């Protein structure tokens, strides 16, 4: 049970306070309700580029990091398809420094041309490091485009292509800030060795005078239901053939979301899971296999990905995966297997909640979903799932006409040599 | 109106009293030392069984890590699947780790399931069989994973740099190869297991919430017999064989759009008095987001997504290095700028304002890093396994608080000598 207090400032800023007096530290987490799904299809990658620019100085503070480091703090941020989250960890005595810094960049940025020029380059290098210069790095670009036709989940947070980032203008930056970065679209979560009254005083002092701004209306196009299997194959300079299969799932608060989460664990949560045990250990068709989803707000995807043992035919591997998926739609899992994945989920939540930072991240995230208190109901939602739910939901998701299959073939199957030029 | 230009008052690092929270220790009846950092707030628990079974002791490459990996893949009474099913039924996570000196088995679980889990761990440690069939899968899948990693410039750069610094026959410089996988044989792994995973080479580190009568339970499971028998092992000596050639440019992927840049030199082992001082100098140069390398090469020039410097110290040697992945056309410029930043630390004193920022940042980091029993036991484990005492930690904290700009300049002059550095770019 994670305890918290909650209040809203007159300008609309929602504030969550999580007191934990066993730690000397404090966390200040600011979540903005904007992600890659809110981008213009011709200007993708912007939410993430903007996240970089948030460190380029604000209206009254030329450099964000320096005063924070001087206060013994660390910070970082991340952008997903749904949201942008900034967080600070610092000794609790220096809490006010975080309020000062975060409120100033919510008030207004410096909008420096230099910062934009440099961060465009930095993000280009990030793009190269993670998506181009990495074997299989383009897989998610392909899978998103294959699996989504209308919904903006069809592009990556880093952007659909490098040129979108390279062409970003200072004017775009300013407009993006005005539209999304204000108290109406933000959630502040403060945790650690703090007192609610003191947090309230600091929130009013530093954030209270920031104009409310307009609540952004997410006008996200719905993805129409898929009616026919989709299939694609590519051949790339990678050492191993790989198989990917995606099936649409459900929005984050749909009760079936929780069932899907347990299904991913039945299929690949650990050494005794079905895909691993059958396809890696018994049939030896794959050297690795995984099943996962991203927990996105709108309907996401459940994905199965595996690297084939050299010499195994793609069709055979695909067929073996399909047999396992078919099995879970036809036969009910045992009560013991269901209990196993429930126990795993209970553990995962307990270990995640050990970290103060993760608790604060999650409180803000669940407040975005509608109420921070949802966080404390998660275990219960998993607990009520039955073996029949697993079968029923599996049957809904794993149908041929909902499948998106990618055969990723290796062009150069032997890549063990390297050339040295002194 | 508040004055937003004015930063709020802060408490400075030197005013924080940093103390390593205590560790409890006791011995099981058979002499196994146990170290425990208890915590009652959460239901979670971590137990680690550490053995003198690192790659320092192996007779051929990869034996130590293969034996470590396969411990949990079969016992005289259970198949790998049965072991996984038992552990996973209780929502627990079992992992293994192997480094140069030590190898370990780590269990993460909820306190309420510990009683059911300990006998499985006992079984794994005392009656592992390392089945041939499991070894074959391990070899095949390991080779497949290696083939993917060999395509990544950072992976290739890291292993090459280890080889240049220490020599490929030295435990610190040795790396995985297809041939080494092929040559792994079951009987050698079993022999390694029998010699190194014994009660007299075991230490147990625990953090989190322990159940009632925990000491007795632990003793009953691991402390009443001389499991696997008493074995003597000798510390072999290895001489360092650093490469004579210092500069390397490797093309691993002709279409690569980035190059992994590594600039590194040898550094004394963990017991040398310069180590804690170097941690401070390293932080200034490339150890945090506001470091000189990040400010210049990322935030000023945009050559890279990130650039860092590191100090790695082992029992008998160590290294200092700068690492980044940079745009292919700016790798040489990145090297030039890196040397320039090192040279600047040799030529000019670090301004007091920057140094006090770094002190505060480092102390704040340690404060956060002592938050929670899992983090505290990790600190203690590192000290205990290195034969060090709490004073080592206190001394390091004290150095962060007090080292002068002059001393840091002297240190830079001693170690930032261009001719001593290996340089490597892997595209």
């Amino acid at each position: 049970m994670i305890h918290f207090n909650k209040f809203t400032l007159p300008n609309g800023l929602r504030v969550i306070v999580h007191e934990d007096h066993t730690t000397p530290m404090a966390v200040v987490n600011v979540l903005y309700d904007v992600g890659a799904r809110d981008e213009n299809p011709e200007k993708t990658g912007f939410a993430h580029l903007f996240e970089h620019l948030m460190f380029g100085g604000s209206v009254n503070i030329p450099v964000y990091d320096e005063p924070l480091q001087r206060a013994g703090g660390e910070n970082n941020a991340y952008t997903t398809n749904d949201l942008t989250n900034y967080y600070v960890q610092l000794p609790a005595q220096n809490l006010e420094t975080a309020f000062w810094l975060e409120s100033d960049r919510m008030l207004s940025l410096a909008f420096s041309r230099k910062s934009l020029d440099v961060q465009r380059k930095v993000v280009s290098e990030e793009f190269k490091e993670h998506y181009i210069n990495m074997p299989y790095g383009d897989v998610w670009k392909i899978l998103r485009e294959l699996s989504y036709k209308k919904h903006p989940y069809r592009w990556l947070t880093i952007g659909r292509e490098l040129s979108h980032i390279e062409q970003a203008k200072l004017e775009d930056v300013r407009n993006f800030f005005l539209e999304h970065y204000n108290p109406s679209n933000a959630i502040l979560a403060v945790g650690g060795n703090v007192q609610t009254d003191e947090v309230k005083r600091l929130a009013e002092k530093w954030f209270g005078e920031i104009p409310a701004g307009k609540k952004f209306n997410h006008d996200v196009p719905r993805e129409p239901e898929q009616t026919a299997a989709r299939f694609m194959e590519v051949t790339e300079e990678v050492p191993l053939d790989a198989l990917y299969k995606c099936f649409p799932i459900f929005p984050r608060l749909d009760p079936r979301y929780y069932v899907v989460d347990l299904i991913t664990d039945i299929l690949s949560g650990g050494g005794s899971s079905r895909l691993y045990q059958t396809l890696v250990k018994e049939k030896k068709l794959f050297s690795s296999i995984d099943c996962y989803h991203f927990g996105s707000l709108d309907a996401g995807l459940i994905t199965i990905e595996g690297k084939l043992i050299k010499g195994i035919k793609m069709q055979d591997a695909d067929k073996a995966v399909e047999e396992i998926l078919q099995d879970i739609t036809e036969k009910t899992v045992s009560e013991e297997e269901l209990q196993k994945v429930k126990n795993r989920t209970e553990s995962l939540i307990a270990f995640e909640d050990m970290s103060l930072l993760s608790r604060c991240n999650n409180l803000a995230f669940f407040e975005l979903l509608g109420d921070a208190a949802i966080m404390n109901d998660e275990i219960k939602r998993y607990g009520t799932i039955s073996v029949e739910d697993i079968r029923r939901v599996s049957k809904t998701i794993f149908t041929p006409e909902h499948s998106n299959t990618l055969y990723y073939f290796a062009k150069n199957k032997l890549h063990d040599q390297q050339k040295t030029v002194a | 109106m508040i004055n937003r230009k004015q930063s709020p008052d802060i408490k400075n690092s030197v005013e924080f009293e940093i103390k390593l929270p205590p560790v409890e220790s006791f011995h099981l009846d058979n002499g196994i030392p146990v170290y425990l950092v208890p915590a009652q707030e959460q239901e979670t628990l971590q137990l680690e069984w550490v053995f003198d079974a690192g790659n320092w002791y192996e007779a051929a490459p990869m034996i130590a890590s293969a034996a470590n990996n396969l411990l949990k893949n079969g016992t005289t009474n259970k198949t790998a699947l049965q072991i996984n099913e038992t552990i996973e039924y209780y929502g627990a996570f079992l992992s293994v780790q192997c480094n140069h000196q030590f190898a370990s088995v780590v269990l993460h679980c909820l306190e309420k399931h510990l009683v059911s889990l300990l006998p499985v761990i006992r079984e794994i440690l005392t009656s592992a069989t390392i089945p041939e069939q499991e070894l074959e899968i391990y070899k095949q899948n390991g080779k497949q994973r290696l083939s993917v990693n060999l395509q990544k410039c950072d992976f290739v750069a890291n292993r090459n740099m280890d080889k240049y610094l220490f020599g490929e026959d030295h435990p610190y410089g040795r790396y995985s190869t297809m041939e080494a996988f092929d040559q792994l044989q079951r009987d050698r792994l079993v022999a390694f297991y029998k010699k190194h995973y014994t009660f007299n080479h075991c230490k147990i580190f625990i953090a989190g919430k322990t159940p009632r009568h925990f000491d007795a339970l632990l003793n009953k499971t691991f402390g009443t017999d001389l499991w696997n028998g008493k074995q003597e092992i000798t510390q072999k000596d290895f001489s360092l064989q650093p490469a004579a050639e210092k500069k390397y440019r490797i093309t691993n992927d002709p279409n690569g759009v980035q190059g992994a840049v590594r600039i590194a030199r040898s550094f004394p082992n963990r017991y040398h008095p310069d180590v804690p001082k170097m941690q401070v100098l390293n932080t200034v140069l490339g150890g945090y987001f506001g470091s000189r390398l990040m400010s210049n090469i990322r935030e000023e020039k945009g050559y890279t997504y990130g650039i860092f410097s590191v100090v790695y110290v082992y029992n008998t040697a160590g290294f200092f290095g700068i690492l980044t992945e940079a745009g292919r056309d700016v790798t040489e410029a990145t090297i030039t700028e890196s040397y320039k930043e090192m040279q600047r630390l040799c030529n000019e004193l670090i301004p007091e304002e920057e140094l006090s920022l770094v002190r505060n940042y480092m102390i704040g980091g340690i404060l956060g890093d002592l938050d929670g029993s899992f983090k505290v036991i990790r600190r203690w484990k590192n000290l205990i396994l290195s034969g060090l005492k709490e004073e080592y930690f206190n001394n390091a904290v004290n150095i962060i608080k007090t080292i002068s700009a002059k001393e840091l300049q002297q240190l830079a002059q001693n170690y930032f000598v261009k001719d001593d550095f290996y340089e490597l770019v892997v595209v």
Side-chain angles (χ1 to χ4, degrees):
Chain A
M1 180 80 182
I2 308 299
H3 299 275
F4 63 90
N5 298 308
K6 197 163 115 172
F7 57 90
T8 306
L9 295 186
N11 61 12
L13 182 69
R14 289 161 280 175
V15 186
I16 321 267
V17 188
H18 165 57
E19 295 187 21
D20 173 0
H21 302 292
T22 65
T23 166
M25 304 297 285
V27 164
V28 174
N29 186 95
V30 188
L31 184 152
Y32 290 94
D33 185 5
V34 57
R37 69 173 176 165
D38 301 309
E39 291 163 349
N40 175 338
E42 302 312 312
K43 290 180 180 175
T44 65
F46 212 84
H48 170 255
L49 173 66
F50 192 85
E51 173 214 313
H52 280 246
L53 298 170
M54 282 285 278
F55 295 88
S58 54
V59 58
N60 295 295
I61 309 171
V63 192
Y64 175 90
D65 287 279
E66 202 183 295
L68 181 66
Q69 287 153 355
R70 191 173 297 286
E74 285 235 49
N75 75 95
N76 213 331
Y78 56 82
T79 308
T80 74
N81 295 78
D82 298 318
L83 56 90
T84 315
N85 194 55
Y86 300 82
Y87 56 90
V88 172
Q89 300 175 82
L90 77 177
Q93 286 97 330
N94 292 339
L95 178 66
E96 189 161 4
T97 302
F99 274 86
W100 171 59
L101 288 164
E102 289 301 335
S103 65
D104 202 53
R105 62 181 181 176
M106 189 182 293
L107 181 65
S108 184
L109 287 188
F111 299 112
S112 122
R113 177 163 304 281
K114 159 104 189 166
S115 170
L116 176 61
D117 288 344
V118 170
Q119 292 308 318
R120 269 195 309 234
K121 284 200 240 171
V122 170
V123 172
S124 294
E125 291 306 325
E126 184 181 357
F127 195 119
K128 290 183 204 165
E129 191 172 322
H130 296 154
Y131 302 95
I132 300 177
N133 217 41
M134 182 66 77
Y136 312 95
D138 61 349
V139 156
W140 269 102
K141 177 180 161 59
I142 299 171
L143 289 176
R144 285 184 179 278
E145 285 172 5
L146 182 67
S147 308
Y148 290 102
K149 297 302 161 194
K150 284 270 179 322
H151 193 284
Y153 285 169
R154 67 185 191 272
W155 58 81
L156 295 163
T157 50
I158 193 93
R160 207 153 47 126
E161 46 196 276
L162 262 175
S163 65
H164 287 187
I165 297 161
E166 285 161 357
Q167 286 158 11
K169 294 188 187 62
L170 206 50
E171 186 195 332
D172 300 327
V173 176
R174 227 180 280 261
N175 291 337
F176 194 87
F177 183 84
L178 289 174
E179 198 156 21
H180 301 287
Y181 280 70
N182 55 50
S184 301
N185 292 302
I187 296 162
L188 172 68
V190 181
N193 197 9
V194 302
Q195 304 287 346
T196 302
D197 288 348
E198 174 67 359
V199 171
K200 199 162 184 180
R201 185 186 72 79
L202 291 173
E204 281 161 1
K205 174 178 173 185
W206 291 104
F207 288 92
E209 65 178 33
I210 302 174
K214 260 214 330 250
K215 179 113 183 124
F216 178 76
N217 175 27
H218 299 277
D219 192 13
V220 180
R222 268 182 80 90
E223 183 66 17
E225 187 177 340
Q226 189 178 344
T227 52
R230 297 179 191 133
F231 177 81
M232 193 170 160
E233 57 180 70
V234 296
T235 303
E236 293 290 340
E237 296 278 357
V238 291
L240 306 171
D241 291 346
L243 170 69
Y244 300 84
K245 293 178 91 71
C246 302
F247 300 85
I249 53 170
F250 312 101
R252 182 63 179 80
L253 284 180
D254 189 305
R256 292 168 299 179
Y257 168 90
Y258 297 85
V259 184
V260 172
D261 200 36
L262 292 186
I263 292 172
T264 62
D265 282 340
I266 290 171
L267 291 174
S268 92
S272 66
S273 63
R274 294 182 171 201
L275 287 168
Y276 183 79
Q277 174 60 23
T278 314
L279 303 182
V280 176
K281 298 297 288 288
E282 288 167 20
K283 297 190 176 170
K284 302 185 184 66
L285 300 175
F286 291 87
S287 56
S288 64
I289 193 153
D290 260 308
C291 175
Y292 57 88
H293 67 87
F294 295 133
S296 54
L297 293 187
D298 296 329
L301 299 168
I302 185 169
T303 302
I304 292 141
E305 70 166 75
K307 301 235 160 55
L308 276 65
I309 297 283
K310 281 181 190 171
I312 299 296
K313 281 206 196 67
M314 189 71 90
Q315 281 81 359
D316 295 344
D318 192 359
K319 191 158 160 279
V321 169
E322 282 183 347
E323 279 169 15
I324 288 178
L325 299 184
Q326 189 165 355
D327 191 66
I328 199 173
T329 66
E330 287 173 356
K331 300 188 201 119
T332 43
V333 301
S334 69
E335 291 290 346
E336 198 186 351
E337 193 173 7
L338 178 62
Q339 193 56 49
K340 178 183 80 172
V341 294
K342 285 183 182 176
N343 288 347
R344 174 185 164 91
T345 304
E346 185 193 10
S347 272
L348 283 172
I349 292 175
F351 278 97
E352 196 177 319
D353 284 349
M354 286 184 71
S355 145
L356 171 66
L357 178 62
S358 148
R359 275 176 268 149
C360 294
N361 281 182
N362 278 327
L363 284 167
F365 175 74
F366 285 101
E367 182 63 25
L368 178 71
L369 287 181
D371 186 354
I374 301 172
M375 184 171 172
N376 287 322
D377 291 339
E378 290 282 284
I379 293 269
K380 230 185 306 168
R381 291 184 192 217
Y382 286 104
T384 57
I385 292 169
S386 69
V387 292
E388 181 47 33
D389 292 330
I390 300 282
R391 201 196 54 79
R392 182 178 51 84
V393 173
S394 297
K395 204 169 174 64
T396 318
I397 49 180
F398 296 130
T399 64
E401 64 270 24
H402 287 171
S403 69
N404 297 276
T405 303
L406 170 65
Y407 287 178
Y408 201 107
F409 287 109
K411 188 191 285 174
N412 176 11
K413 307 220 174 192
L414 284 173
H415 197 280
D416 308 338
Q417 307 293 322
Q418 36 169 290
K419 292 139 293 247
T420 305
V421 190
Chain B
M1 278 294 277
I2 42 175
N3 180 2
R4 289 186 172 272
K5 308 251 182 235
Q6 178 65 47
S7 61
D9 291 338
I10 56 164
K11 181 165 168 172
N12 268 304
S13 72
V14 282
E15 302 165 43
F16 282 104
E17 197 181 336
I18 304 272
K19 208 172 147 27
L20 190 55
V23 68
E24 295 172 11
S25 70
F26 55 94
H27 286 86
L28 303 184
D29 291 348
N30 59 4
I32 293 180
V34 179
Y35 304 92
L36 168 67
V37 177
Q40 295 306 319
E41 303 85 41
Q42 279 143 335
E43 303 302 313
T44 47
L45 182 58
Q46 168 187 297
L47 295 96
E48 179 169 4
W49 289 259
V50 179
F51 296 88
D52 301 302
N55 77 337
W56 193 270
Y57 302 101
E58 65 193 8
M62 302 186 69
I63 287 181
S65 61
N68 179 239
N69 249 285
L70 291 166
L71 275 185
K72 56 183 176 26
N73 286 32
T75 65
T76 42
N77 289 316
K78 284 196 177 69
T79 62
L81 176 61
Q82 288 167 326
I83 294 169
N84 286 331
E85 276 177 337
T86 314
I87 304 262
E88 289 166 10
Y89 180 77
Y90 294 107
F93 306 94
L94 184 65
S95 57
V96 291
Q97 279 171 24
C98 182
N99 57 38
H100 298 314
Q101 220 67 37
F102 302 98
S104 53
V105 171
V106 190
L107 179 72
H108 287 95
C109 67
L110 298 184
E111 178 261 344
K112 63 182 174 185
H113 295 308
L114 183 71
V115 177
S116 312
L117 289 159
L118 284 183
V120 192
I121 306 297
R122 156 96 197 181
E123 193 176 333
I124 289 168
L125 294 181
T126 58
S127 64
T129 51
I130 313 188
E132 187 71 54
Q133 164 80 347
E134 293 290 331
L135 174 60
E136 286 313 310
I137 295 173
Y138 173 79
K139 284 158 81 163
Q140 182 169 47
N141 295 351
K143 280 159 65 180
Q144 294 232 140
R145 199 168 42 246
L146 178 60
S147 72
V148 175
N149 282 333
L150 284 174
Q151 212 168 357
K152 298 176 185 164
C153 59
D154 55 340
F155 180 85
V156 173
N158 289 345
R159 55 203 255 129
N160 276 299
M161 191 48 94
D162 286 345
K163 179 174 77 176
Y164 307 149
L165 287 162
F166 305 113
E168 60 188 315
D169 293 327
H170 194 281
Y172 300 163
R174 209 179 283 163
Y175 54 63
S176 57
T177 60
M178 298 294 172
E179 297 71 38
F181 271 115
D182 285 334
Q183 283 162 17
L184 287 173
Q185 285 168 353
R186 179 175 175 269
D187 53 349
R188 299 182 82 174
L189 300 188
V190 170
F192 188 86
Y193 156 67
K194 292 202 158 149
K195 189 159 181 193
H196 292 272
Y197 289 85
T198 64
F199 82 98
N200 66 315
H201 295 300
C202 179
K203 294 183 177 69
I204 307 178
F205 294 87
I206 300 157
K209 183 169 181 178
T210 52
R212 273 157 57 89
H213 311 302
F214 172 71
D215 299 8
L217 178 69
L218 197 68
N219 193 51
K220 196 179 106 204
T221 320
F222 296 97
T224 52
D225 60 344
L226 312 184
W227 45 272
N228 294 3
K230 188 168 183 175
Q231 292 284 340
E232 295 305 328
I233 51 177
T234 44
Q235 278 272 6
K236 272 181 284 184
D237 280 334
F238 289 93
S239 57
L240 295 171
Q241 290 172 315
E245 174 62 42
K246 289 261 164 72
K247 288 185 173 33
Y248 301 85
R249 303 291 184 268
I250 294 176
T251 305
N252 188 56
D253 173 5
N255 302 318
V257 292
Q258 281 190 326
V261 175
R262 302 289 184 269
I263 308 165
R265 60 154 300 147
S266 64
F267 193 76
N269 65 36
R270 73 168 98 244
Y271 305 101
H272 194 281
D274 282 349
V275 172
K277 298 177 186 166
M278 193 64 179
Q279 300 288 7
V280 181
L281 184 63
N282 176 62
T283 304
V284 173
L285 178 67
Y288 72 121
F289 192 87
S291 72
R292 295 197 173 185
L293 289 171
M294 279 291 264
S295 306
N296 177 353
I297 294 166
R298 172 179 147 134
E299 291 297 299
E300 178 69 30
K301 302 200 170 64
Y303 289 168
T304 174
Y305 178 49
I307 180 163
F308 308 95
S309 64
V310 294
V311 192
Y312 272 47
V313 285
Y314 309 129
N315 275 9
T316 65
F319 74 93
F320 164 80
I322 294 173
L323 39 143
T324 182
E325 278 73 64
R328 187 175 183 161
D329 53 337
V330 290
T331 54
E332 298 302 326
T334 298
I335 293 176
T336 308
E337 291 300 321
S338 298
Y339 282 125
K340 219 185 261 176
E341 292 301 340
M342 285 195 274
Q343 196 53 47
R344 205 150 66 87
L345 286 165
C346 298
N347 296 347
E348 302 162 18
L349 288 174
I350 300 165
E352 199 39 55
E353 190 167 320
E354 181 181 0
L355 185 53
S356 80
L357 180 152
V358 166
R359 292 189 214 280
N360 285 2
Y361 170 78
M362 290 181 80
I363 293 292
I366 293 177
L367 198 65
D369 203 40
L370 294 180
D371 181 18
S373 61
F374 286 26
K375 293 176 182 172
V376 173
I377 195 76
R378 194 170 58 215
R379 291 258 173 192
W380 276 112
K381 187 182 84 174
N382 290 339
L383 290 174
I384 290 162
L385 293 179
S386 307
L388 295 165
K389 298 260 184 300
E390 195 176 352
E391 288 76 60
Y392 184 88
F393 172 83
N394 294 336
N395 176 52
V397 170
N398 193 43
I399 282 173
I400 295 170
K401 289 182 175 180
T402 59
I403 192 169
S404 70
K406 188 79 206 143
E407 278 176 281
L408 288 166
Q409 184 184 34
Q410 186 60 51
L411 199 65
Q413 288 165 356
N414 289 348
Y415 290 104
F416 295 164
V417 177
K418 195 173 173 184
D419 288 345
D420 291 342
F421 279 85
Y422 290 91
E423 254 176 43
L424 166 66
V425 179
V426 179
V427 173

